Amino acid sequence: MDRCIRTRFAPSPTGYMHIGNLRTALYEYLIAKSQGGKFILRIEDTDQGRLVEGATDVIYKTLEMTGLKHDEGPDIGGEYGPYVQSERMGMYMDYAKQLVEKGEAYYCFCTKERLESLKESNAEGAAFAKYDRHCLGLSAEEVQAKLDAGEPFVIRQKMPDSGTTAFHDVVYGDITVENAELDDQILMKADGFPTYNFANVVDDHLMNITHVVRGSEYLSSTPKYNLLYQAFGWEAPVYVHLPAVMRDAHHKLSKRHGDKSFEDLVNEGYLVEAIVNYIALLGWSPADNTEIFSLKELEETFDIAGLSKSPSIFDIKKLTWMNGEYMKAMDFEKFFTLAEPKLAAALEGTDVDLRKIAALLQKRLETWNDIPAMVGFFKELPEYGTELYTHKKMKTNDEIALASLEAAVPVLEGLADWNETAIHDALIALAGKMEIKNGQLLWPVRTALSGEPTSPGGAIELADILGKEETLRRMQKGNAMLKG
């Protein structure tokens, strides 16, 4: 086998890209790229009943958005194609028949009704029912007669009767199972399509895949895969099974239960770079305590030894924090370009300076979708109560607030120039003249201008953005409110 590291992301086009799927793709990408290898995209569409129209486009779009650029795949080709399983159909039956000839597999003609009766009569319950090998004893002549008669069939893998099968997993270590526990799994279905368990083994071998990365739910199937590799005389890949991504200590993430997909997170205002960074840390730890990584830095830093076998809990608060850190560190021009559409929509009909507002938001924003709620007061002063003027830390109350606003209105009214410097100098001088702390003047002004308990800027920045006329109008409204 060519030992250049080759990993594959092999999703089924059955809908959205959930977080566990994206994490698998990311780790496969990083395992390959951190060692100068190749990352392959293969579409596994043999389960025709579960296919969702447009889902393949979601896969391409997600990989493109996240920067997980594949080196081979259905859209760009490569020397191991085709890269869509349904386009590889001719080969699977041939490989299955090879196993039949070797005595490692056999034809099964049992009807659905008979298989259902086996489940119903199983003392341990239907989930534990094993096929009873009813067709294993058919002679070659009996098998041929049934095939000639056109009877429907599947091809089953013949598991060893005794002994054990062992394999090594990078994350979980050495695992051994009793062969007696293994069911004679179906390799080729009655419709002529291979099962996932068979097709992925054949394709991984033919595509020279060196590292197979998948969820830990496939650990129990891996002995069967290993036995297939042995039956063909092929070299098995390195196995990397990943623990589940959990919603909490007891429940896996599930779209069915309202958990977010990658697309949901993007639509809710999270940066793609932050999502990728956060997902990389769901089951992998760097050698130091670094938390913020670009994709390029992940490629350089990633070490397969850092993978954990403990399930990871998806913490939306941690992702939100990380998203905010990305926004703070972003070049302002890029930040403004991305924020402007949300700002323009939220403040439609006003003539406020969106760049100035964006500058206030950058150090405070956590997601793009927070913008409307944070800037709405620039368009329209909300209804608010006088309790907002009381602030323990600023040492303000209604009485101080009223005195501050009454004194500030004529000072601001008399300003010839309206800019941050002029507003700052006038208000700070007034606070000194009144012999009060700056906050005792600035908090009431800020409250009157925003009508909110918090705002992305202080009194001076808000006054500058709102303009002289609107600033004075809002302050006079605050005055009237405080007077009762």
Side-chain angles (χ1 to χ4, degrees):
M1 181 186 282
D2 175 12
R3 294 317 292 177
C4 164
I5 300 297
R6 289 174 60 83
T7 64
R8 65 7 177 217
F9 180 46
S12 297
T14 55
Y16 63 95
M17 179 78 77
H18 60 73
I19 297 303
N21 244 9
L22 181 56
R23 185 188 64 165
T24 300
L26 176 60
Y27 286 172
E28 286 164 335
Y29 175 87
L30 293 175
I31 288 169
K33 296 304 173 184
S34 64
Q35 300 180 69
K38 297 287 180 75
F39 173 60
I40 289 89
L41 173 64
R42 183 173 77 224
I43 303 297
E44 299 200 335
D45 60 345
T46 54
D47 192 346
Q48 297 284 295
R50 295 178 61 230
L51 302 186
V52 173
E53 188 176 351
T56 302
D57 293 332
V58 171
I59 295 166
Y60 287 132
K61 183 182 177 184
T62 302
L63 292 179
E64 182 181 0
M65 287 176 69
T66 54
L68 305 184
K69 190 175 183 339
H70 48 287
D71 299 292
E72 302 167 25
D75 52 336
I76 56 177
E79 60 181 304
Y80 298 97
Y83 294 89
V84 178
Q85 278 189 336
S86 60
E87 295 173 15
R88 300 168 66 83
M89 279 299 295
M91 69 179 72
Y92 300 117
M93 184 62 80
D94 291 339
Y95 278 104
K97 287 179 178 177
Q98 281 184 35
L99 292 179
V100 172
E101 289 167 13
K102 291 182 171 191
E104 302 283 356
Y106 58 95
Y107 289 95
C108 173
F109 300 92
C110 291
T111 62
K112 284 183 180 179
E113 291 74 22
R114 183 177 186 280
L115 296 175
E116 283 300 319
S117 70
L118 286 178
K119 289 182 180 180
E120 290 170 11
S121 62
N122 183 52
E124 295 176 324
F128 298 94
K130 283 176 62 177
Y131 179 60
D132 63 356
R133 293 186 160 180
H134 176 75
C135 292
L136 179 59
L138 294 175
S139 67
E141 292 75 20
E142 288 174 308
V143 168
Q144 192 57 53
K146 288 177 178 292
L147 291 175
D148 291 342
E151 285 191 33
F153 67 87
V154 300
I155 295 180
R156 290 181 180 273
Q157 182 179 0
K158 182 178 178 291
M159 297 299 175
D161 295 317
S162 59
T164 61
T165 295
F167 67 95
H168 178 78
D169 182 77
V170 167
V171 177
Y172 290 89
D174 294 320
I175 296 175
T176 302
V177 299
E178 296 289 332
N179 290 331
E181 296 175 6
L182 302 178
D183 191 15
D184 286 2
Q185 68 173 345
I186 294 173
L187 304 179
M188 296 297 298
K189 296 180 286 189
D191 60 6
F193 276 82
T195 58
Y196 165 83
N197 288 335
F198 184 52
N200 86 81
V201 168
V202 172
D203 289 339
D204 285 344
H205 170 73
L206 295 178
M207 292 183 180
N208 275 353
I209 301 304
T210 61
H211 291 64
V212 168
V213 186
R214 57 185 168 224
S216 58
E217 64 269 24
Y218 289 104
L219 271 171
S220 60
S221 299
T222 303
K224 300 177 184 180
Y225 304 149
N226 249 28
L227 288 166
L228 283 172
Y229 281 104
Q230 290 174 23
F232 281 117
W234 297 341
E235 184 177 355
V238 174
Y239 294 115
V240 185
H241 286 87
L242 305 173
V245 180
M246 311 290 285
R247 182 196 328 149
D248 54 42
H250 306 290
H251 302 92
K252 288 175 67 173
L253 277 186
S254 166
K255 179 78 170 176
R256 206 167 50 249
H257 294 115
D259 294 314
K260 315 291 186 208
S261 68
F262 169 73
E263 193 173 3
D264 290 334
L265 292 172
V266 172
N267 290 338
E268 289 181 12
Y270 290 89
L271 290 162
V272 170
E273 300 95 319
I275 298 170
V276 170
N277 187 161
Y278 179 66
I279 288 175
L281 301 175
L282 287 176
W284 172 77
S285 299
D288 57 22
N289 292 321
T290 304
E291 290 190 296
I292 305 296
F293 292 94
S294 67
L295 183 59
K296 183 162 181 50
E297 288 167 339
L298 283 170
E299 291 174 27
E300 294 166 353
T301 309
F302 188 84
D303 183 346
I304 201 169
L307 292 172
S308 167
K309 58 182 170 186
S310 301
S312 302
I313 294 178
F314 184 86
D315 183 352
I316 194 71
K317 289 182 180 177
K318 183 66 179 285
L319 171 60
T320 302
W321 167 82
M322 186 173 282
N323 202 65
E325 293 301 300
Y326 266 81
M327 288 183 164
K328 287 175 193 170
M330 194 180 289
D331 172 76
F332 177 73
E333 291 304 323
K334 180 181 178 183
F335 177 85
F336 180 64
T337 298
L338 294 171
E340 187 178 20
K342 290 273 188 189
L343 286 169
L347 299 173
E348 187 179 3
T350 69
D351 59 357
V352 291
D353 189 325
L354 300 185
R355 284 183 71 86
K356 286 184 177 179
I357 295 175
L360 294 180
L361 288 178
Q362 186 168 9
K363 301 301 182 188
R364 298 168 173 86
L365 199 61
E366 291 187 318
T367 76
W368 299 123
N369 286 14
D370 296 335
I371 288 177
M374 291 179 74
V375 304
F377 71 87
F378 282 111
K379 184 172 184 177
E380 185 176 355
L381 186 67
E383 294 294 324
Y384 69 97
T386 57
E387 69 277 358
L388 291 188
Y389 286 101
T390 299
H391 194 290
K392 192 174 181 181
K393 186 179 176 184
M394 297 296 179
K395 296 184 168 54
T396 64
N397 55 34
D398 286 5
E399 186 181 343
I400 293 170
L402 178 57
S404 294
L405 288 181
E406 284 186 326
V409 167
V411 168
L412 293 180
E413 211 165 19
L415 286 181
D417 295 322
W418 193 264
N419 55 56
E420 278 194 31
T421 302
I423 296 165
H424 171 274
D425 292 350
L427 291 178
I428 298 305
L430 176 60
K433 184 178 177 183
M434 295 175 70
E435 297 183 342
I436 61 174
K437 293 183 180 295
N438 292 344
Q440 290 178 299
L441 175 65
L442 297 178
W443 181 262
V445 174
R446 187 215 65 83
T447 301
L449 298 185
S450 69
E452 297 282 6
T454 61
S455 56
I460 294 159
E461 296 97 336
L462 300 189
D464 175 50
I465 292 169
L466 286 167
K468 187 173 184 178
E469 183 181 338
E470 181 64 11
T471 293
L472 293 171
R473 185 186 75 79
R474 292 186 180 200
M475 289 174 67
Q476 283 158 348
K477 182 174 181 180
N479 263 338
M481 181 190 299
L482 286 163
K483 285 177 180 175

